[in-house]
Amino acid sequence: MNGTGDDAASMPAPPLDPELRAGLAIVGGVFPPTVTPELVPFMRRSYASMPYDQIVGDRPIIRTDHTLNGWQGAEIEASVLRPRGEGRARPVILFLHSGGLMFGDRFSGIDLAVEWITRFDCALVTVEYRLAPEHRHPVPFEDCYAALAWLHAAAAELGFDADRIVVAGASAGAGLAAGVALAARDRGGPHLSGLLLDYPMLDDRGTAHSLTQFDGIGVWDRISNETGWTALLGDARGTDGVSPYAAPARAEDLSGLPPTFIDVGSVEVFRDEATEFATRLWRDGNDAELHVWAGGFHAFDIFAPHTRLARGMIRARNDWLERILSD
C-alpha cells in the first residue's frame, strides 16, 4: 500500500485479487491513481472514448444523434443506439458515463453497455452532459434529468417502451443516475423500471472509512474524489448546503426508488458509501441488490474485463438487467 496520509498509513487495506493486480500494473501506466486539478486536461485527453466504430464493431446497431435542451435550455447532444430492424416498442436504458464529473464523453466506458443492445433487444440513450468545473451543480445533474424527460416524451416516436426505462451509470455517472432517480420520484417524473449503479460516487462529505484506505491505489483515490467533488460543488463541498441530487447519499428518504442494483469492489474508495446506500435502500423499503467483489479495484470490469472477477461481475449485472427488462 502506498498510503500518503497518516490515517491511510495506519489502516490495513484488503488485498487485491491476484489476477487484477497484474491488470492494475498495466492500467497504472495510462491513468494516474491520484487526479488533481492540474491533471484534468490530461485526463480529458486520455479518458476520451475510442472511435465509435471501434466500440460498436460489426454489431447490428443503428445510431441516431439528437440535440436536446439541457439545463436552462442549453443545447446538449445525445445518441440513441438500438438494434437494426423494426419490432415492438423496446425498453430503453439511459446511460450516464463515468469520469469523475470532470472528464469523459457519452461514449466513454460504454463498451459493456453496448452489449446490452443486442443481448436484451433494447435501446440505449447516452447523453453529453456538461462537465465540471466549467459547469457546476446543478448543470450536470439537470442535463441528465432533461435527457430522461426527453426520452420519455419522445418514446413513441423513437420506438421506446415508456413503461420500461432504466437509468444506469458508472462511478460519477452512477451518482448522477441516483440523483436523477430521486428527482423523478420527487418531481412526479417518468416511472423507472430499474436503477443500475456501478461503483457509485454518492457522497461529497468524504467520511467513509474506505476513502482513506487506498491512497495511491487503483484509478481513483481519496484526492481524486476531493478533486471531483470540489469541481462540482466548489466551496459548498462538505457543507450542509449540498443537494441530494448532487450527492444522493445526502437524501434522508430513499423510499419509492425503483429496483436498484449496486456493485462495487472491496479495494476501492466507494466501497463503504455503496454498501451504506444499499443498506438504506433496504431500510426504506426498496428492492435492492448489492454485490461487493472481493479484491476488486475501482472499475475493474472496464479496465480488466478478461479477468475471472470481472466476468463474474458482468454476469451478475447482466442477469439482473435481463430480469428488469423482461416483459
Side-chain angles (χ1 to χ4, degrees):
M1 178 177 179
N2 299 318
T4 57
D6 292 341
D7 290 342
S10 64
M11 294 178 180
L16 273 168
D17 174 83
E19 195 177 17
L20 286 181
R21 184 184 300 279
L24 186 57
I26 297 172
V27 174
V30 181
F31 297 103
T34 302
V35 177
T36 58
E38 294 75 20
L39 284 177
V40 171
F42 166 78
M43 292 301 297
R44 287 182 175 177
R45 293 191 299 272
S46 61
Y47 199 65
S49 60
M50 68 176 70
Y52 173 78
D53 289 345
Q54 292 184 30
I55 296 172
V56 174
D58 59 0
R59 298 182 184 91
I61 291 174
I62 297 172
R63 168 185 168 184
T64 55
D65 293 334
H66 305 262
T67 300
L68 55 109
N69 291 329
W71 174 237
Q72 296 185 327
E75 291 186 346
I76 58 174
E77 302 298 317
S79 293
V80 175
L81 311 180
R82 55 189 152 195
R84 289 178 188 157
E86 300 299 324
R88 61 191 175 94
R90 293 185 169 99
V92 57
I93 301 169
L94 174 62
F95 176 81
L96 305 176
H97 71 79
S98 56
L101 302 164
M102 302 173 290
F103 40 85
D105 57 61
R106 67 186 187 276
F107 297 113
S108 296
I110 203 173
D111 314 47
L112 297 173
V114 165
E115 293 280 354
W116 300 335
I117 299 168
T118 50
R119 178 187 287 261
F120 304 127
D121 191 28
C122 67
L124 190 75
V125 175
T126 182
V127 60
E128 202 77 44
Y129 64 81
R130 286 169 286 174
L131 300 173
E134 294 90 341
H135 302 283
R136 289 186 165 162
H137 182 76
V139 178
F141 154 73
E142 292 287 3
D143 282 353
C144 295
Y145 190 83
L148 172 65
W150 170 80
L151 74 85
H152 182 261
E157 175 188 352
L158 296 172
F160 302 157
D161 183 344
D163 292 326
R164 288 188 295 163
I165 299 173
V166 172
V167 179
S171 193
L176 289 167
V180 165
L182 287 167
R185 178 198 66 179
D186 298 344
R187 297 174 178 179
H191 165 77
L192 301 181
S193 298
L195 176 62
L196 195 162
L197 308 178
D198 293 330
Y199 26 88
M201 180 178 176
L202 297 166
D203 197 339
D204 64 297
R205 292 167 291 191
T207 56
H209 179 83
S210 56
L211 273 168
T212 60
Q213 283 190 298
F214 308 111
D215 281 357
I217 294 177
V219 296
W220 188 257
D221 69 1
R222 175 176 56 87
I223 299 300
S224 305
N225 208 46
E226 292 174 359
T227 301
W229 282 116
T230 301
L232 183 71
L233 301 172
D235 292 339
R237 177 174 71 86
T239 69
D240 292 338
V242 174
S243 165
Y245 300 151
R250 299 274 197 153
E252 295 183 359
D253 177 13
L254 297 182
S255 64
L257 292 179
T260 301
F261 180 95
I262 301 175
D263 54 12
V264 70
S266 68
V267 189
E268 70 153 289
V269 293
F270 294 147
R271 181 196 64 214
D272 293 353
E273 58 193 73
T275 55
E276 171 65 17
F277 197 73
T279 299
R280 294 182 56 216
L281 285 169
W282 292 317
R283 182 201 66 186
D284 290 347
N286 296 286
D287 177 351
E289 182 170 325
L290 169 69
H291 294 260
V292 180
W293 296 92
F297 62 84
H298 186 63
F300 67 89
D301 58 323
I302 293 176
F303 293 108
H306 59 285
T307 58
R308 285 186 293 273
L309 204 68
R311 294 200 304 272
M313 182 189 219
I314 294 166
R315 185 165 53 248
R317 180 189 304 149
N318 287 346
D319 285 348
W320 178 86
L321 193 54
E322 183 174 23
R323 296 197 302 274
I324 290 296
L325 294 178
S326 63
D327 290 325

